[in-house]
Amino acid sequence: MRFSLPTVTFIIFLPCRWIGILALYTVHKGQFNCPGGGLLHSYLLVLLILLASIICALSALVYISMQGTISNPGPRKSLPKLLYTRLLLYLPELIWAVLGAVWVSDSSVHCEKTVINVIMGTVIASWVIIIFTIIGVVIVFDPLGGKKTFYLTDSVNRNLESSQSGQLLYNVKNTATRVWEKRIRLLCCCIVQDDDHRVAFTSIAELFRNYFSDTDLVPSDIAAGLTLLHQEQDKMESCPKEPEEVLCHSPSSLVTDDLDIELENAAHYMLFAAAAYGWPYYIYTNPFTALCKLSGDCCGNRPTDSDITGSDRHNFHFGSILKITGLQYRDFIHISFHNKIYEIPFFVALDHKKEAIVVAVRGTLSFEDILTDLSADCEDLTLEDVLENGFVHKGITQAANYIYRKLINDGILNQAFTIAPEYKLVIVGHSLGGGTASILAIMLRNSFPTLRCYAFSPPGGLLSKSLADYTKHFIVSVIVGKDLVARLSMPNMEDLKRRIVRIVANCNRPKYQILLRGCWYEVFGGDPDNFPTELDGRNQDALTQPLLAEESLMVHRSPSYNALEDESHLNSPPQYPHLYLPGKIIHVVEESSSRRLCSSDVKYTARWSTETVFSSILISPKMITDHMPDVVLKALDSLSQDRGSCISCRTRECHTNVV
């Protein structure tokens, strides 16, 4: 039982509600002398008493939760009793909400309209709070409880001596999977669910079950761990860079020339990747003028039904694509807005500026796309005459298969090359679209040897090492800053979990102090805090085993905590295979400019990087914003302009030196 953020939210909100109801009661106290007014008067009076009791119970919960540290629950031993007291108060709260709804809707009540409306608003507020509380309990509550102690590692599973123990373990795992599956179904209740969705729900539920099975963390623990990791990371920012991050920057080097060309190409093709998002991206980047422009111009550019598949109500998607890319209607070969799980929108267009046939794949924009992202199991991708036994992300590979069948079986690419036979094939996409574009490029490589692929902010857990190395010849990945998605893989998530457990469990401060200091640091900055921790002064060899405090947050010994000397661990296959980013990687980093030569005080630098740089998740306020397509496009545009001016400067210097 530990300090929870929802409890703090209610302890702030409920007193405000209590004061509001008290004010309403005081103002309208003399207006209940009407038929049925006594019931309404009783409702408000009892509700005030009931809310006061709930506020007292929550205040006691918060006070006790603030005692001790995360891994030292001793001072919080009375917390379960307080929690049960609060749960018991839900029953009279629910009963009183039902009675209030009945009384306020009773036709025999003939009070003033204002009084009835005030009581009705109070009743509605009560029901909203109760409904959200029930939804929160359904999503967060863990029905396994103490059964988690039977959730053993694979090495222990093999030593189960009785069929009864084996059946118990199976039942616990099965129950955990069903719990996660119900949570996912509840969150995705607004979409139509078919067989593909049910398979995906089960696969994602098993993934979550495996990931959260070995620790006992609540959301506030994770928040505390992230803020501590961010401050620890900022302390190390001044350390020397890794050698692979400091690659050649010589103006005359071939590496830099190649980088300049690829950056210019990336800035150009990022427009197509961003355009694939349609009207949401266009309105997001042009919030004041987009709707007027789209409603005024789009209807006249409606393509024929044979050119477009899927729904595009009011032609907003296609109109946005036209405006973002600057192309004409005649330049589009095929546009698909069809969107289901494992089936994502894309378009095929002629890019006359670069003499290319561009296949642009949309990134994550719907619940179906999220399910595709989360279907993170591995599957084999065997390519004839190229590679064997290459592992790929299952959900993204199925999305690539869908587009591959449309391009080849429906003759879309054949039609494009009939119109422009001398053009080259370029495949682009951002985020989920970048990952799908990369796997699609691998599938098409044999048929189109000269194709190129630009993957912007693709997911990190995408390709096995052999496939990632193979794609370096024709795929370029572009990553901005500390982008979270580019570092997302199951091994990286396991590493993040290990780091969170370690730093949270061994910090000798109460959680509320960690969170308050962390909020101040994230909002206002300043120097990272020096929270004392049991990790201080320990050498690296001593950190291979969990500390005592870590063991208190672990249900069992996770594979990520097993020592390297453990022979059984060495001989067992990894729980999650390592998957990597595709192709050659350009890492774009934002730097604050102290000289302020330009109108903007932000500059970007770019360098060739390697997959090892993205082998760990970095905590930063920009870990999400660095992934956004508008930020990627802004960075690439800035770099292409800066490098273009630098090239002209170097050319003039060269001519001057020759003279």
Side-chain angles (χ1 to χ4, degrees), residues 485-531:
V485 175
R487 294 170 169 83
L488 273 185
S489 66
M490 290 312 299
N492 285 3
M493 289 296 293
E494 282 287 329
D495 173 67
L496 178 64
K497 177 174 64 176
R498 176 187 61 79
R499 288 190 288 147
I500 287 176
V501 169
R502 170 151 289 171
I503 199 166
V504 163
N506 297 286
C507 183
N508 298 330
R509 293 281 181 88
K511 190 193 303 185
Y512 78 93
Q513 291 186 15
I514 300 174
L515 292 173
L516 289 176
R517 174 67 182 106
C519 289
W520 180 272
Y521 181 76
E522 299 298 340
V523 175
F524 300 105
D527 296 328
D529 204 350
N530 264 325
F531 282 121

Side-chain angles (χ1 to χ4, degrees), residues 525-554:
D527 296 328
D529 204 350
N530 264 325
F531 282 121
T533 168
E534 293 178 20
L535 299 176
D536 294 339
R538 292 173 61 92
N539 58 39
Q540 193 63 33
D541 293 336
L543 296 178
T544 58
Q545 294 288 342
L547 303 178
L548 181 61
E550 291 173 68
E551 294 280 12
S552 68
L553 294 181
M554 293 165 52

Side-chain angles (χ1 to χ4, degrees), residues 574-590:
Q575 186 176 7
Y576 304 108
H578 284 276
L579 299 180
Y580 301 90
L581 289 164
K584 295 192 297 183
I585 303 170
I586 297 177
H587 192 193
V588 179
V589 180
E590 177 184 309

Side-chain angles (χ1 to χ4, degrees), residues 180-219:
W180 279 108
E181 194 169 346
K182 288 178 181 178
R183 291 170 177 170
I184 297 169
R185 287 181 184 277
L186 182 62
L187 292 173
C188 299
C189 60
C190 58
I191 64 176
V192 179
Q193 298 176 12
D194 54 20
D195 290 339
D196 284 339
H197 287 88
R198 283 188 284 273
V199 172
F201 289 160
T202 302
S203 174
I204 296 168
E206 290 177 351
L207 187 74
F208 284 174
R209 181 204 72 193
N210 289 331
Y211 185 73
F212 292 105
S213 66
D214 60 347
T215 56
D216 182 24
L217 295 172
V218 298

Side-chain angles (χ1 to χ4, degrees), residues 591 593 595-604 634 638:
E591 296 183 353
S593 175
R595 291 177 291 180
R596 303 181 183 273
L597 295 178
C598 304
S599 58
S600 173
D601 61 349
V602 174
K603 292 186 65 177
Y604 294 92
K634 173 187 174 184
S638 174

Side-chain angles (χ1 to χ4, degrees), residues 102-380:
V102 172
W103 291 343
V104 80
S105 60
D106 191 349
S107 58
S108 63
V109 176
H110 298 289
C111 294
E112 291 184 12
K113 190 77 171 177
T114 305
V115 175
I116 295 177
N117 289 338
V118 166
I119 305 298
M120 185 177 294
T122 304
V123 171
I124 292 173
S126 297
W127 277 107
V128 169
I129 293 172
I130 290 172
I131 290 171
F132 274 100
T133 301
I134 293 173
I135 292 174
V137 169
V138 170
I139 293 176
V140 176
F141 177 67
D142 185 1
L144 293 178
K147 294 180 182 178
K148 267 192 171 184
T149 56
F150 295 103
Y151 212 154
L152 307 175
T153 58
D154 292 338
S155 60
V156 179
N157 292 345
R158 292 191 291 270
N159 294 327
L160 288 172
E161 296 180 356
S162 67
S163 59
Q164 183 179 2
S165 299
Q167 185 63 38
L168 177 60
L169 179 62
Y170 172 80
N171 291 338
V172 171
K173 287 187 175 183
N174 200 35
T175 303
T177 301
R178 288 201 306 271
V179 168
W180 279 108
E181 194 169 346
K182 288 178 181 178
R183 291 170 177 170
I184 297 169
R185 287 181 184 277
L186 182 62
L187 292 173
C188 299
C189 60
C190 58
I191 64 176
V192 179
Q193 298 176 12
D194 54 20
D195 290 339
D196 284 339
H197 287 88
R198 283 188 284 273
V199 172
F201 289 160
T202 302
S203 174
I204 296 168
E206 290 177 351
L207 187 74
F208 284 174
R209 181 204 72 193
N210 289 331
Y211 185 73
F212 292 105
S213 66
D214 60 347
T215 56
D216 182 24
L217 295 172
V218 298
S220 56
D221 292 339
I222 297 173
L226 291 176
T227 189
L228 286 174
L229 286 176
H230 182 209
Q231 294 180 64
E232 181 186 56
Q233 177 185 299
D234 284 353
K235 293 177 188 176
M236 302 174 65
E237 283 288 314
S238 59
C239 295
K241 302 292 184 183
E242 294 292 330
E244 61 265 22
E245 288 194 81
V246 193
L247 298 182
C248 182
H249 287 78
S250 172
S252 61
S253 69
L254 295 176
V255 173
T256 304
D257 291 341
D258 187 35
L259 180 60
D260 292 338
I261 294 171
E262 294 295 4
L263 282 172
E264 193 272 330
N265 288 335
H268 176 77
Y269 288 119
M270 181 58 205
L271 271 177
F272 291 83
Y277 285 100
W279 66 261
Y281 176 82
Y282 187 64
I283 292 178
Y284 175 71
T285 53
N286 301 274
F288 302 109
T289 60
L291 286 176
C292 294
K293 290 180 179 179
L294 289 176
S295 59
D297 298 341
C298 290
C299 296
N301 295 320
R302 180 71 182 179
T304 60
D305 291 338
S306 59
D307 296 321
I308 188 169
T309 60
S311 174
D312 183 20
R313 186 170 297 178
H314 305 303
N315 204 28
F316 276 2
H317 275 310
F318 182 69
S320 299
I321 293 173
L322 287 173
K323 290 185 176 297
I324 295 171
T325 60
L327 299 180
Q328 303 296 318
Y329 158 64
R330 62 178 179 271
D331 297 326
F332 288 86
I333 307 298
H334 181 82
I335 307 173
S336 172
F337 300 114
H338 172 76
N339 192 200
K340 286 178 59 181
I341 185 172
Y342 308 137
E343 299 176 5
I344 57 181
F346 70 98
F347 68 81
V348 181
L350 299 178
D351 175 20
H352 302 295
K353 181 178 179 180
K354 293 289 186 177
E355 296 188 341
I357 296 170
V358 179
V359 179
V361 186
R362 197 190 76 181
T364 302
L365 199 62
S366 67
F367 274 116
E368 289 86 354
D369 298 334
I370 294 173
L371 293 176
T372 301
D373 284 316
L374 292 176
S375 298
D377 289 340
C378 294
E379 68 177 23
D380 289 327

Side-chain angles (χ1 to χ4, degrees), residues 9-23:
T9 304
F10 277 112
I11 201 63
I12 295 173
F13 170 73
L14 287 180
C16 297
R17 186 183 175 216
W18 187 85
I19 293 172
I21 294 175
L22 179 62

